[in-house]
C-alpha cells in the first residue's frame, strides 16, 4: 500500500478523537489485511533472528572453540542490543513516525546480520549480533504499536494474533533450516553462515515492502497533522472495496503538537498498568526465551548430540506457529488478562514435564506442548501490551517495557545456564515455573480489561 494518495488536501477540520473513532468502527477490508501481512512478514524474520544464535549455539561453540563464558556472550549479545533498540527506536517512532522507524530498524538488522555471516571469530560475531540486536529489539514494539493504531477495536486482537502467527513460522523455519544447512557448505560457505545470509536477505525484501506502508493516522492526528490523517482514513474507508491509493498527500508537517514524554507512563491514570507491564515483560522472557534459547543446551545435558539435538529442537519449535493459530479464534472471546494467566500456567506445567522427560517421544511431545502454550501466551501478551498507552507515547512507553524483556533475555545465559549445568533440567524448569507464578499474580492483581476497548480510551482505569 502506498503512502501516496489521491484527492485534494483537506482542511484540518476533524479532531484526533474523530479520526480514532472512524478507525475503530471501520470494517476489516483489504487495506487492513495488506498492512497486517506486511507487518507479519517483518516479524517472521525478527523471530528467525531472535532464535538463530540459540538454535546453533552448540555449532558456534564448536566452530569457534568457545569456552562457556564466550558462548554466554554470543547468546546474550543480540538481546543486549535489543534492550537499547527497544528504548531508543520506540521513542523515535513517537517523534518521527511509525513508518520511518520501521525502515530504520529493518535496515540496521539486515545489514549487520549479513556482516555476522562472515564472522572470522567469536568477537566479530558478538559485535555484529549486538548491533543487529538494536534493530531487532524495536521490531515487535513497533509492530504492536502500528497495528494497534490502524486496526479497529473489535478485531484488533484477532489481526495482531494473525500477524504473530506468520511471525512465529520463523521459529521452526530456523530450526529446520539449521538441521538442513549445518552439515553442508553450499558454494563453499559453511551452512551456519547461510542462516545469517537468509535472515539478512529476507529482512531486506521486507524493507522494500514496508516502504509502501501508510503512516499511522492516529499518530498523525496526535502530532497535529489532522488533515493528513483525515486523507488517509478517507482512503482506507474507500479501500474497503479493494481500491489502492495511488497519488500523493505531502508529508510536510502541519501544526505539529509537542510529543509527550515517556515518563507519562507513570501518570496517575497509567502508573498501575506500567508496573504490571514491567513485571510481565521482565519475567515472561524467563520461560519464553529460556526455552527457545537454551533448548539445544538442555538436550545436550540430556545426552543428545548436536544433530539429534537440532532435530528434536526443530520438532519442538513446530508448536510456535500452532500456538499462534490457536490464539486467533479465542483472543477476542476471552478477556486478555484471563487468557494470559491460563496460557502461562499451562506453559509452566509443560516445562516441568520437559525437565524430567527422558524418552525422545516425551521430549518432543512436551517440548511441542511447551512452545504451543508459550505462543498462545506470547500472541496475547503482544495484543495486551499494545493496548495500554495513548498514541502520543505508545511507541516509547511500550518500547521501555519491551526493553526490560530484552535486558532480562540477555541475562538468561548467565543466570539459567549455571542452573542447568549444576542442577539439571528439572531444576531449570522449577526456576521458570516460580517466575511464572510471580508474573501471574502481578497480571491478576494489577492488570485491567482491554478486550474490545478503543486504544484512545486507555487513560480511563
Amino acid at each position: 500500500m502506498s503512502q501516496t494518495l489521491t484527492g485534494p488536501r483537506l482542511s484540518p477540520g476533524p479532531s484526533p478523537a474523530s479520526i480514532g473513532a472512524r478507525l475503530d468502527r471501520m470494517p476489516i477490508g483489504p487495506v487492513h489485511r495488506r498492512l497486517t501481512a506486511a507487518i507479519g512478514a517483518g516479524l517472521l524474520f525478527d523471530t528467525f533472528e531472535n532464535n538463530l544464535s540459540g538454535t546453533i549455539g552448540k555449532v558456534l561453540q564448536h566452530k569457534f572453540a568457545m569456552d562457556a563464558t564466550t558462548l554466554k556472550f554470543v547468546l546474550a549479545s543480540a538481546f543486549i542490543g535489543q534492550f537499547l533498540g527497544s528504548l531508543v527506536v520506540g521513542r523515535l517512532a513517537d517523534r518521527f513516525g511509525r513508518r520511518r522507524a520501521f525502515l530504520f530498524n529493518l535496515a540496521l538488522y539486515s545489514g549487520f546480520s549479513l556482516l555476522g555471516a562472515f564472522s572470522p571469530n567469536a568477537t566479530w560475531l558478538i559485535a555484529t549480533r549486538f548491533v543487529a540486536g538494536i534493530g531487532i529489539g524495536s521490531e515487535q514494539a513497533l509492530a504492536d504499536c502500528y497495528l494497534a493504531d490502524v486496526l479497529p477495536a473489535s478485531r484488533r486482537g484477532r489481526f495482531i494474533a494473525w500477524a504473530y502467527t506468520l511471525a512465529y513460522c520463523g521459529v521452526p523455519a530456523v530450526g529446520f533450516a539449521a538441521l538442513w544447512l549445518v552439515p553442508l557448505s553450499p558454494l563453499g560457505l559453511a551452512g551456519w553462515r547461510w542462516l545469517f545470509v537468509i535472515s539478512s536477505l529476507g529482512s531486506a525484501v521486507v524493507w522494500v515492502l514496508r516502504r509502501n506502508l501508510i503512516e499511522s493516522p492516529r499518530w498523525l492526528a496526535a502530532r497535529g497533522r489532522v488533515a493528513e490523517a483525515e486523507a488517509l482514513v478517507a482512503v482506507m474507508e474507500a479501500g474497503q472495496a479493494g481500491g489502492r491509493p495511488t497519488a500523493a498527500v505531502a508529508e510536510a508537517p502541519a501544526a505539529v503538537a509537542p510529543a509527550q514524554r515517556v515518563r507519562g507512563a507513570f501518570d496517575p491514570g497509567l502508573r498501575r498498568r506500567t508496573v504490571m507491564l514491567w513485571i510481565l515483560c521482565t519475567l515472561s522472557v524467563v520461560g519464553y526465551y529460556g526455552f527457545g534459547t537454551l533448548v539445544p543446551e538442555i538436550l545436550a545435558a540430556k545426552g543428545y548430540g548436536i544433530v539429534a539435538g537440532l532435530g528434536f529442537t526443530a520438532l519442538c519449535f513446530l508448536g510456535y506457529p500452532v500456538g499462534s493459530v490457536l490464539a486467533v479464534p479465542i483472543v477476542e472471546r476471552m478477556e486478555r488478562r484471563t487468557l494470559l494467566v491460563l496460557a502461562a500456567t499451562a506453559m509452566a506445567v509443560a516445562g516441568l514435564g520437559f525437565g524430567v522427560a527422558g524418552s525422545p517421544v516425551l521430549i518432543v511431545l512436551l517440548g511441542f506442548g511447551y512452545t504451543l502454550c508459550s505462543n498462545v501466551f506470547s500472541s496475547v501478551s503482544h495484543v495486551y501490551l499494545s493496548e495500554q498507552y495513548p498514541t502520543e507515547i505508545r511507541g516509547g512507553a511500550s518500547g521501555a517495557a519491551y526493553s526490560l524483556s530484552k535486558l532480562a533475555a540477555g541475562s538468561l545465559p548467565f543466570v539459567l545456564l549455571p542452573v542447568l549445568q549444576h542442577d539439571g533440567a528439572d531444576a531449570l524448569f522449577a526456576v521458570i515455573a516460580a517466575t511464572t507464578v510471580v508474573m501471574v499474580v502481578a497480571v491478576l492483581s494489577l492488570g485491567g480489561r482491554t478486550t474490545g476497548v478503543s486504544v484512545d480510551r486507555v487513560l480511563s482505569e
Side-chain angles (χ1 to χ4, degrees), residues 2-14:
S2 173
Q3 175 74 18
T4 58
L5 308 170
T6 51
R9 282 288 292 270
L10 302 177
S11 60

Side-chain angles (χ1 to χ4, degrees), residues 139-173:
E139 173 67 17
Q140 293 183 1
L142 289 175
D144 295 352
C145 291
Y146 183 81
L147 290 175
D149 281 356
V150 300
L151 291 169
S154 63
R155 305 293 293 278
R156 180 175 62 236
R158 187 179 183 90
F159 273 76
I160 293 177
W162 272 123
Y164 278 93
T165 298
L166 178 59
Y168 289 120
C169 291
V171 188

Side-chain angles (χ1 to χ4, degrees), residues 50-267:
N50 261 319
N51 289 274
L52 185 50
S53 294
T55 300
I56 60 172
K58 296 300 291 184
V59 178
L60 296 173
Q61 185 177 22
H62 175 73
K63 296 297 182 184
F64 290 123
M66 299 179 196
D67 57 23
T69 300
T70 305
L71 176 62
K72 291 173 186 176
F73 278 106
V74 169
L75 295 176
S77 56
F79 288 117
I80 296 171
Q82 288 177 47
F83 165 70
L84 294 176
S86 297
L87 278 177
V88 174
V89 182
R91 299 186 69 176
L92 292 178
D94 285 338
R95 182 167 185 177
F96 299 108
R98 318 303 198 210
R99 179 175 171 271
R100 289 177 179 173
F102 270 136
L103 297 179
F104 171 76
N105 87 294
L106 277 169
L108 194 64
Y109 82 71
S110 177
F112 278 87
S113 289
L114 188 61
L115 288 174
F118 300 98
S119 298
N121 52 52
T123 301
W124 179 281
L125 183 63
I126 290 168
T128 55
R129 297 304 293 153
F130 169 77
V131 181
I134 295 174
I136 300 167
S138 57
E139 173 67 17
Q140 293 183 1
L142 289 175
D144 295 352
C145 291
Y146 183 81
L147 290 175
D149 281 356
V150 300
L151 291 169
S154 63
R155 305 293 293 278
R156 180 175 62 236
R158 187 179 183 90
F159 273 76
I160 293 177
W162 272 123
Y164 278 93
T165 298
L166 178 59
Y168 289 120
C169 291
V171 188
V174 72
F176 283 105
L179 182 63
W180 168 45
L181 287 170
V182 164
L184 307 175
S185 295
L187 303 178
L189 190 66
W192 68 266
R193 297 182 186 274
W194 277 105
L195 295 171
F196 289 95
V197 173
I198 291 169
S199 180
S200 174
L201 295 181
S203 302
V205 170
V206 174
W207 187 91
V208 174
L209 292 175
R210 287 194 181 171
R211 288 188 65 192
N212 295 321
L213 283 178
I214 62 168
E215 185 51 86
S216 159
R218 274 191 170 95
W219 177 82
L220 288 169
R223 295 288 286 167
R225 296 161 63 174
V226 181
E228 293 173 68
E230 156 68 21
L232 282 173
V233 172
V235 171
M236 289 179 72
E237 290 169 335
Q240 301 313 304
R244 282 179 175 269
T246 54
V249 169
E251 289 191 22
V256 178
Q260 292 189 16
R261 294 184 180 274
V262 175
R263 67 185 179 207
F266 284 94
D267 288 346

Side-chain angles (χ1 to χ4, degrees), residues 15 85 112 157 190 338 374 408:
S15 68
F112 278 87
T338 303
S374 69

Side-chain angles (χ1 to χ4, degrees), residues 437-449:
V437 170
V438 176
M439 178 188 69
V440 162
V441 170
V443 171
L444 286 175
S445 59
L446 300 174
R449 298 176 60 86

Side-chain angles (χ1 to χ4, degrees), residues 265-266 270-284 335-338 340-341 377 380-381 383-389 397 401-402 404 438-450 461:
F266 284 94
L270 296 173
R271 186 182 302 124
R272 178 173 173 155
R273 70 186 63 198
T274 295
V275 172
M276 181 273 298
L277 286 178
W278 283 23
I279 295 172
L280 173 65
C281 288
T282 301
L283 298 184
S284 64
E335 177 53 43
R336 318 273 201 239
R337 179 178 58 184
T338 303
L340 274 176
V341 168
F377 173 85
V380 178
S381 66
V383 178
Y384 197 53
L385 195 149
S386 75
E387 299 168 328
Q388 302 299 321
Y389 294 113
Y402 271 109
L404 295 176
V438 176
M439 178 188 69
V440 162
V441 170
V443 171
L444 286 175
S445 59
L446 300 174
R449 298 176 60 86
T450 61
E461 290 290 331

